[in-house]
Amino acid sequence: MHILFISDGDDKYGAPRSMKEFIKSLMNFDKKIKVSVVLVKGSDLESYYRQLGCLTYTVLYGAHYQSIPEQHWKLPFKFLIRGTKYLLGRCGGIYYLNKKLDLDSIDIIHANSSREDLGAMLALRYNKPLIWHIRELGLDCFSFRRDYIHFMNSSATKFILVSEAAKAHWINKGLNEDKVIRIYNGISTKINAKMEYINDKDKIKLLMLGCIYEAKGQIQIIEALGLMKEKERKNLVLDIVGGGRSNAYIKKLEKLVNKYGLSSMVNFLGYCDDFSNQICQYDCGIMCSRQEGFGRVTVEYMMAGLPVIASDIAANKELINSETGLLYHVGDIHSLKEKIVYLVNHRDLIEKMGRKAREYAQTSFSTEINTELVYNEYLKIIRK
């Protein structure tokens, strides 16, 4: 079996990280499988895939599906620059792969994101089955394709959606329901687990992990801490870990920290290449996103044995229950503050929820489960 994967971006973001871990698990699951990977030129993942034994091809292609900038005045410039890259990539990418890759040997094309359509164009041109793996909701976006939903439906053999929330969202956009299957993302069960939980004298260490930009809601946790009385927050520490897309947004967060006098308890640690095995050093994971297709970070918290305080968006409600964490009303900083204070006042819940969270994550969202389910879809397609 020869699978051609089409990636997008590097492993600073959830979708490429998920594909990276899936391919490694897949090649362990079936030692005979052959994997080729198409990467965006400049990706830092080429050496990783070559070490796994994959054939790699780097192509300068752009995504057909683009996020709308927070500063809307930038939209015309983004449309022009990214549009040019997209058009050049459509032609150049297919031409390059046709020369370098034996496309007749490919059994299945596996596209890793709704944002790119190179896999779909290859599938249509060379009459290959296509799995389109959709890991995001795609809100506040525009497309260089006028009717991209029709294009997706006509090119894909199967759509894999990473949650029921994502599945419902994309079916509502017009995705062919008969081609859709939900398979949760897989997270490594080898993430270091929390061994010792806090006592009454310890400070509660909160962690917010992920890319720093508006939709992830870092501003909410800072404002929630700012609302607290000194006696409520004196035993709290918050570490925000991740790189930022907008310097203006990061400066806004830093100003809020200073405004509320939180500089002694809020730390910006920046981007870390792999923070997963350090999660267990914390007591509670924070997830304030206003939109998520799945919430990879949420499950990483759980896998490490942390309870999660999260916004009550559909994806979070799907992952977190009353035994594994607390949900607050999305965008409501008073609600978020109350959940944190509740946890401070009920410290016994940190261990109780944390152990339940790890148990639930291991049995529901492991890499092994994810790999087997996707592999079974490969077999179904090939048998047909």
Side-chain angles (χ1 to χ4, degrees):
M1 188 189 305
H2 188 180
I3 310 297
L4 175 64
F5 286 89
I6 314 292
S7 184
D8 65 326
D10 56 36
D11 67 346
K12 291 186 182 71
Y13 306 108
R17 283 181 63 198
S18 294
M19 190 187 93
K20 172 183 169 182
E21 293 177 11
F22 170 73
I23 291 177
K24 182 178 180 179
S25 177
L26 176 67
M27 295 181 77
N28 287 328
F29 186 82
D30 183 349
K31 302 291 186 181
K32 295 180 181 179
I33 202 164
K34 184 177 179 181
V35 172
S36 295
V37 184
V38 177
L39 299 164
V40 179
K41 200 163 187 175
S43 170
D44 56 0
L45 290 172
E46 187 172 6
S47 61
Y48 171 83
Y49 285 119
R50 285 185 176 178
Q51 287 173 7
L52 284 183
C54 305
L55 298 172
T56 61
Y57 304 87
T58 57
V59 179
L60 183 63
Y61 65 89
H64 81 96
Y65 203 61
Q66 297 279 340
S67 60
I68 296 174
E70 292 172 12
Q71 296 87 10
H72 283 201
W73 62 268
K74 293 182 179 179
L75 182 57
F77 299 98
K78 182 172 185 177
F79 189 90
L80 179 62
I81 295 168
R82 297 289 179 88
T84 302
K85 182 180 178 182
Y86 170 69
L87 289 173
L88 292 174
R90 284 180 65 179
C91 302
I94 292 176
Y95 175 77
Y96 172 82
L97 291 172
N98 186 47
K99 285 183 64 177
K100 297 290 184 180
L101 175 63
D102 178 12
L103 287 158
D104 289 334
S105 72
I106 301 298
D107 295 302
I108 296 172
I109 297 173
H110 188 144
N112 191 53
S113 167
S114 64
R115 292 186 291 265
E116 60 77 25
D117 60 1
L118 182 62
M121 289 187 288
L122 289 170
L124 289 172
R125 176 166 293 200
Y126 297 99
N127 193 29
K128 297 294 180 180
L130 170 69
I131 286 181
W132 209 323
H133 210 141
I134 302 179
R135 304 177 185 274
E136 55 284 314
L137 298 186
L139 301 173
D140 300 324
C141 292
F142 67 91
S143 175
F144 294 120
R145 287 188 173 274
R146 288 187 178 180
D147 191 353
Y148 66 91
I149 293 293
H150 173 74
F151 176 74
M152 293 172 76
N153 283 331
S154 62
S155 59
T157 308
K158 180 74 69 174
F159 296 104
I160 295 178
L161 280 297
V162 294
S163 67
E164 292 295 338
K167 178 181 173 181
H169 172 84
W170 280 92
I171 289 173
N172 188 55
K173 287 171 75 76
L175 222 59
N176 185 340
E177 188 171 2
D178 294 335
K179 294 184 176 184
V180 172
I181 183 172
R182 189 272 295 151
I183 298 177
Y184 287 124
N185 267 350
I187 306 297
S188 173
T189 56
K190 295 179 181 178
I191 289 176
N192 289 344
K194 193 168 183 65
M195 303 302 293
E196 295 183 5
Y197 288 85
I198 63 170
N199 58 46
D200 291 339
K201 294 181 181 179
D202 291 331
K203 286 193 173 185
I204 296 176
K205 296 178 68 177
L206 308 176
L207 172 65
M208 191 166 192
L209 181 61
C211 188
I212 299 178
Y213 68 104
E214 201 88 36
K216 295 295 182 182
Q218 288 87 3
I219 197 168
Q220 294 177 44
I221 182 65
I222 292 173
E223 289 185 332
L225 294 176
L227 287 176
M228 292 182 187
K229 298 174 182 177
E230 180 59 32
K231 65 178 182 180
E232 293 173 330
R233 69 190 191 197
K234 67 178 181 179
N235 289 320
L236 289 171
V237 174
L238 169 66
D239 284 353
I240 297 175
V241 181
R245 291 182 176 178
S246 166
N247 289 330
Y249 179 59
I250 293 174
K251 288 179 181 178
K252 184 177 181 180
L253 297 178
E254 291 171 342
K255 283 182 180 179
L256 275 178
V257 167
N258 292 328
K259 174 184 174 182
Y260 293 127
L262 303 174
S263 56
S264 63
M265 60 177 293
V266 176
N267 306 298
F268 293 92
L269 302 188
Y271 172 74
C272 294
D273 187 45
D274 184 4
F275 202 78
S276 59
N277 283 322
Q278 298 178 57
I279 294 173
C280 61
Q281 299 172 12
Y282 294 84
D283 303 304
C284 178
I286 304 295
M287 165 60 73
C288 297
S289 293
R290 64 171 183 252
Q291 61 183 56
E292 288 288 344
F294 173 71
R296 179 184 175 85
V297 166
T298 302
V299 179
E300 287 181 339
Y301 293 150
M302 297 167 69
M303 200 68 80
L306 272 60
V308 186
I309 295 177
S311 54
D312 62 353
I313 58 174
N316 288 341
K317 288 194 288 186
E318 199 170 329
L319 302 178
I320 300 166
N321 58 47
S322 60
E323 292 186 323
T324 60
L326 302 170
L327 295 171
Y328 75 94
H329 301 306
V330 61
D332 185 343
I333 58 172
H334 292 277
S335 175
L336 174 56
K337 172 213 158 188
E338 289 170 3
K339 300 302 180 184
I340 298 171
V341 171
Y342 182 81
L343 200 65
V344 170
N345 293 333
H346 298 82
R347 289 180 171 226
D348 59 305
L349 289 179
I350 293 176
E351 179 172 1
K352 186 177 179 181
M353 285 183 167
R355 293 193 184 281
K356 284 283 187 182
R358 179 165 171 80
E359 179 184 334
Y360 181 55
Q362 286 183 313
T363 56
S364 304
F365 310 114
S366 74
T367 301
E368 292 76 15
I369 293 171
N370 170 265
T371 301
E372 185 172 357
L373 290 173
V374 176
Y375 184 82
N376 288 339
E377 292 304 313
Y378 290 164
L379 294 180
K380 290 176 187 176
I381 289 172
I382 287 176
R383 285 168 185 160
K384 285 184 179 180

